[in-house]
Amino acid sequence: MMSLKNLLLVSLAVALPSVSAGRASTLSPLPASCFSYSFGSSHPSAHGLTGTKLHATLPGTEVSLDVQSVSLNDNKSKIDAGTLERFNAAAAFAALTAFHGGLTPACHGQSTIVGTSDIQGSSPEGTWSSVRLQKADGHDLTIRSAHIETVETDPDLRVRLVGTGIHASKQPLAPSTFTTDLTVQGSGSAAQQISINSLHAVVDTSTIDGHGIIQPGTSAATSTADVHISITDIAGLIQNVQQTAPAKVTTALTIARLMGHNNGNSTTWDVQLQGGVVTVNRVPLPIPVH
């Protein structure tokens, strides 16, 4: 399933600036050695942009993103196609970085602070159809449709993300559908707070719901989090995934079930990160987070 780190990367990148496309472009201020993207074709309008065959990479990683079709627009008709393209490129960078598992060496030291000045007062949204993320080791993630909508831009940045038709070749717990609502407070400053207003995912016959707050730092040791998660029918989920998942996945789910609080058909967890220590339902866990 999408991790909190992935959610954070998506929310932090949605408003970064970029340069225009048409040929291979990057996402300013990121260097071309960090991120590159191109369209097969693109068609701008006054407050919209459509495109085909979006291809984006993190150079040197063999991690790639391909999107068959892209549709972007501003519901308030305040920003132009160039700004919408920057919005789209930032989402591509976020998706690649999340799939890679973090920033590449070429991207280290680059700012990931959200700046909403370009989209302030507007309401951009975009839909990707037929999405494929790939790694050289054969790990593929495909999404039939992915949608991002900016709900608020002033004073805080609030976005909704929806993914449907999700399949991951090497992730047995990947959800088939995923929806989340995030608010980034303190945009443009170093003291940001990410509020997970809601999170909902479907994995087999189980549903996963969550909410919470993340205050990102430069590392796990300087970051804090307070997140609440619930899963329905975790016993059925364990039974289903043990047929195909590695033993360590089943073991992790079994341990999580033992540590959870039962509430009818749901199992719940309160997860905190403070000073580099993860606690689950007030029990510290020996998990490396550095």
Side-chain angles (χ1 to χ4, degrees), residues 33-34 55-66 96 99-100 104 132-140:
S33 59
C34 167
H55 178 72
T57 62
L58 299 177
T61 66
E62 296 186 305
V63 175
S64 64
L65 166 71
D66 289 282
L96 278 169
F99 190 63
H100 176 259
T104 66
R132 186 179 187 185
L133 286 153
Q134 291 180 278
K135 290 183 178 179
D137 64 0
H139 184 185
D140 286 10

Coordinates of all heavy atoms in Angstrom, one line a residue, residues 33-34 55-66 96 99-100 104 132-140:
S33 N 20.1 16.2 -14.3 CA 20.6 15.0 -13.7 C 19.7 14.4 -12.6 O 19.9 13.2 -12.3 CB 22.0 15.2 -13.2 OG 22.0 16.2 -12.1
C34 N 18.8 15.2 -12.2 CA 17.8 14.7 -11.1 C 16.5 14.2 -11.7 O 16.0 13.2 -11.3 CB 17.6 15.9 -10.1 SG 16.2 15.6 -9.0
H55 N 6.5 10.9 -20.6 CA 7.5 10.0 -20.2 C 8.4 10.8 -19.2 O 8.9 11.9 -19.6 CB 8.3 9.5 -21.4 CG 9.5 8.6 -21.0 ND1 9.3 7.3 -20.5 CD2 10.8 8.8 -21.0 CE1 10.5 6.8 -20.2 NE2 11.4 7.7 -20.5
A56 N 8.7 10.2 -18.0 CA 9.5 10.9 -17.1 C 10.5 9.9 -16.4 O 10.1 8.7 -16.3 CB 8.7 11.6 -16.0
T57 N 11.7 10.4 -16.0 CA 12.7 9.5 -15.5 C 13.4 10.2 -14.4 O 13.5 11.5 -14.3 CB 13.7 9.1 -16.5 OG1 14.4 10.2 -17.0 CG2 13.0 8.3 -17.7
L58 N 14.1 9.4 -13.5 CA 15.1 9.9 -12.6 C 16.4 9.4 -13.2 O 16.7 8.2 -13.0 CB 14.9 9.3 -11.2 CG 13.6 9.7 -10.5 CD1 13.5 9.0 -9.1 CD2 13.4 11.2 -10.3
P59 N 17.1 10.2 -13.9 CA 18.3 9.8 -14.6 C 19.3 9.0 -13.7 O 19.5 9.4 -12.6 CB 19.0 11.1 -15.1 CG 17.8 12.0 -15.3 CD 16.9 11.7 -14.1
G60 N 19.8 7.9 -14.3 CA 20.8 7.1 -13.6 C 20.1 6.0 -12.7 O 20.9 5.2 -12.0
T61 N 18.8 5.9 -12.6 CA 18.1 5.0 -11.7 C 17.4 3.9 -12.4 O 17.0 2.9 -11.8 CB 17.1 5.7 -10.8 OG1 16.0 6.2 -11.7 CG2 17.7 6.8 -10.0
E62 N 17.1 4.1 -13.7 CA 16.3 3.1 -14.5 C 14.9 3.0 -14.0 O 14.2 2.0 -14.1 CB 17.0 1.7 -14.6 CG 18.3 1.8 -15.3 CD 18.9 0.4 -15.6 OE1 19.1 -0.4 -14.6 OE2 19.2 0.0 -16.7
V63 N 14.5 4.0 -13.2 CA 13.1 4.2 -12.8 C 12.4 5.1 -13.7 O 12.9 6.2 -14.0 CB 13.0 4.7 -11.3 CG1 11.6 4.9 -10.9 CG2 13.7 3.7 -10.4
S64 N 11.2 4.7 -14.3 CA 10.6 5.5 -15.3 C 9.1 5.6 -15.0 O 8.5 4.7 -14.4 CB 10.8 5.0 -16.7 OG 10.3 3.7 -16.8
L65 N 8.4 6.6 -15.5 CA 7.0 6.8 -15.5 C 6.5 7.0 -16.9 O 7.1 7.8 -17.7 CB 6.7 8.0 -14.6 CG 5.2 8.6 -14.8 CD1 4.2 7.6 -14.1 CD2 5.1 10.0 -14.1
D66 N 5.4 6.3 -17.3 CA 4.8 6.5 -18.6 C 3.3 6.7 -18.4 O 2.7 5.9 -17.7 CB 5.1 5.3 -19.5 CG 6.5 5.3 -20.0 OD1 6.9 6.1 -20.9 OD2 7.3 4.5 -19.4
L96 N 7.6 9.5 -9.2 CA 8.9 8.8 -9.4 C 9.7 8.7 -8.1 O 10.2 7.6 -7.9 CB 9.7 9.5 -10.5 CG 9.3 9.2 -12.0 CD1 10.0 10.2 -12.9 CD2 9.6 7.8 -12.3
F99 N 8.1 6.1 -5.8 CA 8.3 4.8 -6.3 C 9.8 4.3 -6.2 O 10.1 3.2 -5.9 CB 7.9 4.7 -7.8 CG 7.8 3.3 -8.4 CD1 6.9 2.4 -7.9 CD2 8.7 3.0 -9.4 CE1 6.9 1.1 -8.4 CE2 8.6 1.7 -10.0 CZ 7.7 0.8 -9.5
H100 N 10.7 5.3 -6.3 CA 12.1 5.0 -6.2 C 12.5 4.7 -4.7 O 13.4 3.9 -4.4 CB 13.0 6.2 -6.7 CG 14.4 6.0 -6.5 ND1 15.1 6.7 -5.5 CD2 15.4 5.3 -7.1 CE1 16.4 6.3 -5.5 NE2 16.6 5.5 -6.5
T104 N 17.1 10.8 -5.2 CA 18.4 10.2 -5.7 C 19.5 11.2 -5.3 O 19.3 12.3 -4.9 CB 18.3 10.1 -7.2 OG1 18.3 11.5 -7.8 CG2 17.1 9.3 -7.7
R132 N 2.0 3.8 -15.8 CA 2.9 2.7 -15.5 C 4.2 3.2 -15.0 O 4.9 4.0 -15.6 CB 3.2 1.9 -16.8 CG 4.0 0.6 -16.5 CD 4.3 -0.2 -17.8 NE 4.9 -1.5 -17.5 CZ 5.3 -2.3 -18.4 NH1 5.2 -2.0 -19.7 NH2 5.9 -3.5 -18.1
L133 N 4.6 2.8 -13.8 CA 5.8 3.0 -13.1 C 6.7 1.8 -13.2 O 6.2 0.7 -12.9 CB 5.6 3.5 -11.7 CG 5.1 4.9 -11.5 CD1 4.4 5.0 -10.2 CD2 6.3 5.9 -11.5
Q134 N 7.9 1.9 -13.6 CA 8.8 0.7 -13.8 C 10.1 0.8 -13.1 O 10.7 1.9 -13.1 CB 9.0 0.4 -15.3 CG 7.8 0.0 -16.1 CD 8.2 -0.2 -17.5 OE1 8.3 0.7 -18.3 NE2 8.5 -1.5 -17.9
K135 N 10.7 -0.3 -12.6 CA 12.0 -0.4 -12.2 C 12.7 -1.4 -13.0 O 12.1 -2.3 -13.6 CB 12.1 -0.8 -10.7 CG 11.6 0.3 -9.7 CD 11.8 -0.1 -8.3 CE 11.4 1.0 -7.3 NZ 11.5 0.6 -5.9
A136 N 14.1 -1.4 -13.0 CA 14.8 -2.3 -13.8 C 14.7 -3.7 -13.3 O 14.9 -4.7 -14.1 CB 16.3 -1.9 -13.8
D137 N 14.4 -3.9 -12.0 CA 14.3 -5.3 -11.5 C 13.0 -5.9 -11.8 O 12.7 -7.0 -11.3 CB 14.5 -5.2 -9.9 CG 13.4 -4.4 -9.2 OD1 12.5 -3.9 -9.9 OD2 13.4 -4.3 -8.0
G138 N 12.1 -5.3 -12.6 CA 10.9 -5.9 -13.0 C 9.7 -5.5 -12.2 O 8.6 -6.0 -12.4
H139 N 9.9 -4.6 -11.2 CA 8.8 -4.2 -10.4 C 8.0 -3.1 -11.2 O 8.5 -2.1 -11.5 CB 9.4 -3.5 -9.1 CG 8.3 -3.1 -8.1 ND1 8.6 -2.4 -7.0 CD2 7.0 -3.3 -8.1 CE1 7.5 -2.2 -6.3 NE2 6.5 -2.7 -7.0
D140 N 6.8 -3.5 -11.5 CA 5.9 -2.6 -12.2 C 4.7 -2.2 -11.3 O 4.1 -3.0 -10.6 CB 5.3 -3.3 -13.5 CG 6.4 -3.4 -14.6 OD1 7.6 -3.1 -14.3 OD2 6.0 -3.7 -15.7

